[in-house]
Amino acid sequence: MQARVKALETLLTDKGLIDPAAIDAIVDTYETKVGPRNGAKVVAKAWSDRAFAEWLKADATAAIASLGFAGRQGEHMRAVFNTPECHNMVVCTLCSCYPWAVLGLPPVWYKAPAYRSRAVIDPRGVLQEFGFSLPDGVKIRVWDSTAELRYLVVPLRPVGTEGFSEEQLADLVTRDAMIGTGLALVPEDIR
């Protein structure tokens, strides 16, 4: 896939149809200005500010936009909060609807037919393939992202993070945790 993209980019550049500097600016935008760090900031704020967490539950689109993260497939958002009894996981069964403003570019596996079908049929099996398993008593709820509504999973706040700043908390939040195919890191993971 990468070779095909590079070949297409080279061909379009050679024909004068695209400007490589414009492509670089777009890539830079998705690498540094939008992406999982934005979502991590949203989650960290929800973990540390109860009023913000309640607002995020009630109107995720507005709460997220208040932090400056809006648009580009993030116009209609819903935040779903993991609990000790329920783990949330997001999939788009029809295509690859994904909240770019808070999660950046979707990972390749998110768009893969195998993930899109198996996440609904066998979510526990998929989570095991991502490297973790949940206790049998924990319910897994799978949310189907659509063009009308996209989801952000707010993972459980790790134990031992009392007194952490929002910036320190954000360092614990991964893209996969915000999709529900991973868990937040624990402090020992980043030291």
Side-chain angles (χ1 to χ4, degrees):
M1 178 65 87
Q2 288 178 335
R4 284 188 269 177
V5 169
K6 186 63 179 164
L8 182 59
E9 181 181 344
T10 300
L11 178 67
L12 293 172
T13 300
D14 290 348
K15 291 186 177 261
L17 298 172
I18 63 168
D19 176 4
I23 299 295
D24 290 344
I26 291 168
V27 169
D28 179 65
T29 296
Y30 282 96
E31 286 180 348
T32 63
K33 296 179 179 72
V34 300
R37 293 297 304 159
N38 294 349
K41 290 175 184 176
V42 172
V43 170
K45 182 137 183 95
W47 283 347
S48 60
D49 181 338
R50 182 181 302 273
F52 182 80
E54 291 303 319
W55 186 19
L56 190 61
K57 286 178 187 175
D59 186 353
T61 304
I64 292 168
S66 77
L67 298 179
F69 313 130
R72 194 71 183 140
Q73 314 245 351
E75 300 88 355
H76 306 287
M77 295 291 301
R78 179 170 180 194
V80 291
F81 287 68
N82 285 349
T83 68
E85 299 79 28
C86 182
H87 180 86
N88 295 285
M89 185 170 156
V90 180
V91 65
C92 180
T93 57
L94 294 177
C95 56
S96 59
C97 294
Y98 191 78
W100 291 27
V102 290
L103 295 184
L105 298 172
V108 172
W109 55 260
Y110 185 84
K111 298 185 273 184
Y115 174 75
R116 293 182 5 228
S117 62
R118 289 197 52 244
V120 175
I121 296 167
D122 182 22
R124 280 189 194 281
V126 170
L127 293 179
Q128 287 174 345
E129 290 174 16
F130 275 92
F132 75 97
S133 59
L134 296 167
D136 289 336
V138 176
K139 174 184 166 187
I140 300 174
R141 182 145 189 209
V142 179
W143 299 89
D144 193 2
S145 187
T146 67
E148 289 81 33
L149 185 61
R150 290 175 174 83
Y151 295 89
L152 172 70
V153 174
V154 179
L156 288 171
R157 181 175 177 164
V159 174
T161 60
E162 301 75 19
F164 274 37
S165 69
E166 284 184 27
E167 184 176 314
Q168 290 171 306
L169 289 170
D171 288 340
L172 301 174
V173 183
T174 66
R175 176 203 64 205
D176 290 0
M178 294 181 285
I179 297 172
T181 55
L183 301 173
L185 302 174
V186 295
E188 297 78 39
D189 292 335
I190 59 169
R191 289 189 182 144

